[in-house]
Amino acid sequence: MSEHEAEEGKPNSIGSFSFWPPHLEKVFPIYAMGIPNPVLDSSLKNFDCFDPIWDDVRKEAKLEAEREPILSSFFYATILSHDCLEQALAFALANRLQKPTLLATQLMDIFSTVMKHDKGIQHSIRLDIQAFKDRDPSCLSYCSALLYMKGYQSLQVYRVAHALWGQGRKVLALVLQSRVSEVFGVDIHPAAKIGNGILVDHGTGVVIGETAIIGNRVSLMQGVTLGDTGRETGDRHPKVAEGVLIGAHATILGNLKVGEYVMIAASSLVLQEIPPHSIVAGVPAKVIGRVHAHYPSLIMQQGKQ
């Protein structure tokens, strides 16, 4: 990709693109890019219209129900009885997070209402599910991410909580954050800003602080912490740019910037800003090499490239 193309390919804002590099179209099909698409935009208003990811989810559910008849009622309740991806996701999340004082019907109403009226979330849930299917070898299908993967599920609850936070419904947003932490072991503050096409692999132990920012197409492994040093107030959490790969149990502390296309090795402790295209490792982390490939977060090779 030329420098001009690379510059054009940068997001104008989180989740907004003026150009998409042609070689990435196979990684993120056109319907999952978040690029304006009249057919998809129409389908998000009228759920009877064409939605390729939802169509694939339904096909997968039907096939799995045929292969394992004992689960046919499960797949009917979770997938086949619903009209759209948003509704099926709301059902799955509500049933995972319910408890006696927080009923599934209440949760499903919250999730459905927010997702069906927020086009940004509608794009994000598709970009994220595509990221899981493309980058996680254990994700066998869209259904797998939607129904079983707590990294995907916790990320989508965050997106709803973030929307509620923006509406001033902060108590409800914090209740959802707390519940996700209890059920999934993932703690993402609803005020954090997270882009699209995110992979939270495994999810267990991931902590993302209140003023953290994560760009598009970032991959985080289990145990990653984006925290503060304890010496700062206000804007005190890391800013992670596009295409970054963060290895398992890496810790990034303070209001510092991690540049584009960086790879952070597992168990590293990052206390200083990292220039773009760097490989860092150690405690404290130091630059040990350069990333030669674009988007280490998509390639998912945790070693020198």
Side-chain angles (χ1 to χ4, degrees), residues 58-79:
R58 289 182 60 85
K59 289 175 185 176
E60 291 167 359
K62 289 177 181 177
L63 183 59
E64 291 303 321
E66 291 172 2
R67 288 176 177 171
E68 195 64 77
I70 197 171
L71 293 176
S72 59
S73 60
F74 167 75
F75 283 110
Y76 178 79
T78 55
I79 302 293

Side-chain angles (χ1 to χ4, degrees), residues 173-246:
L174 291 171
V175 167
L176 294 179
Q177 176 199 1
S178 175
R179 191 65 185 138
V180 167
S181 181
E182 292 172 13
V183 174
F184 297 132
V186 177
D187 195 350
I188 306 176
H189 196 283
K193 298 178 181 178
I194 301 178
N196 297 316
I198 305 298
L199 171 66
V200 181
D201 198 10
H202 299 291
T204 303
V206 168
V207 177
I208 300 174
E210 179 182 9
T211 59
I213 299 176
I214 299 176
N216 297 308
R217 299 185 294 280
V218 170
S219 294
L220 303 90
M221 309 302 286
Q222 68 271 19
V224 167
T225 296
L226 305 184
D228 68 88
T229 61
R231 299 190 297 270
E232 301 169 292
T233 58
D235 192 357
R236 60 197 183 279
H237 295 98
K239 312 298 182 279
V240 178
E242 179 180 3
V244 173
L245 171 60
I246 307 179

Side-chain angles (χ1 to χ4, degrees), residues 42-251:
S42 175
S43 73
L44 297 177
K45 295 176 183 177
N46 180 351
F47 297 109
D48 294 329
C49 293
F50 183 62
D51 182 351
I53 283 186
W54 175 237
D55 288 345
D56 281 351
V57 170
R58 289 182 60 85
K59 289 175 185 176
E60 291 167 359
K62 289 177 181 177
L63 183 59
E64 291 303 321
E66 291 172 2
R67 288 176 177 171
E68 195 64 77
I70 197 171
L71 293 176
S72 59
S73 60
F74 167 75
F75 283 110
Y76 178 79
T78 55
I79 302 293
L80 300 174
S81 64
H82 301 291
D83 297 326
C84 60
L85 181 60
E86 287 76 11
Q87 193 177 78
L89 179 58
F91 181 86
L93 298 178
N95 279 278
R96 291 298 299 271
L97 299 181
Q98 68 171 320
K99 62 178 182 177
T101 55
L102 197 60
L103 302 181
T105 51
Q106 295 172 315
L107 288 169
M108 186 167 179
D109 183 59
I110 293 167
F111 294 138
S112 295
T113 300
V114 172
M115 287 190 285
K116 287 186 177 181
H117 292 88
D118 191 317
K119 291 188 80 171
I121 291 180
Q122 292 166 2
H123 287 301
S124 294
I125 64 177
R126 288 165 173 80
L127 282 160
D128 294 340
I129 203 169
Q130 188 74 49
F132 274 76
K133 189 171 184 292
D134 288 343
R135 297 181 223 162
D136 186 350
S138 67
C139 184
L140 303 177
S141 63
Y142 294 117
C143 262
S144 295
L146 179 64
L147 297 178
Y148 317 128
M149 295 196 161
K150 63 182 181 179
Y152 178 76
Q153 293 178 338
S154 59
L155 183 58
Q156 306 324 312
V157 178
Y158 150 78
R159 296 198 184 282
V160 172
H162 182 70
L164 293 170
W165 186 272
Q167 295 170 11
R169 303 174 71 183
K170 295 185 177 182
V171 173
L172 180 54
L174 291 171
V175 167
L176 294 179
Q177 176 199 1
S178 175
R179 191 65 185 138
V180 167
S181 181
E182 292 172 13
V183 174
F184 297 132
V186 177
D187 195 350
I188 306 176
H189 196 283
K193 298 178 181 178
I194 301 178
N196 297 316
I198 305 298
L199 171 66
V200 181
D201 198 10
H202 299 291
T204 303
V206 168
V207 177
I208 300 174
E210 179 182 9
T211 59
I213 299 176
I214 299 176
N216 297 308
R217 299 185 294 280
V218 170
S219 294
L220 303 90
M221 309 302 286
Q222 68 271 19
V224 167
T225 296
L226 305 184
D228 68 88
T229 61
R231 299 190 297 270
E232 301 169 292
T233 58
D235 192 357
R236 60 197 183 279
H237 295 98
K239 312 298 182 279
V240 178
E242 179 180 3
V244 173
L245 171 60
I246 307 179
H249 300 286
T251 299

Side-chain angles (χ1 to χ4, degrees), residues 20 24-26 28-37 40 127:
W20 193 270
L24 291 179
E25 289 185 4
K26 290 184 179 179
F28 284 87
I30 188 70
Y31 60 80
M33 288 181 189
I35 296 174
N37 181 318
L40 180 57
L127 282 160

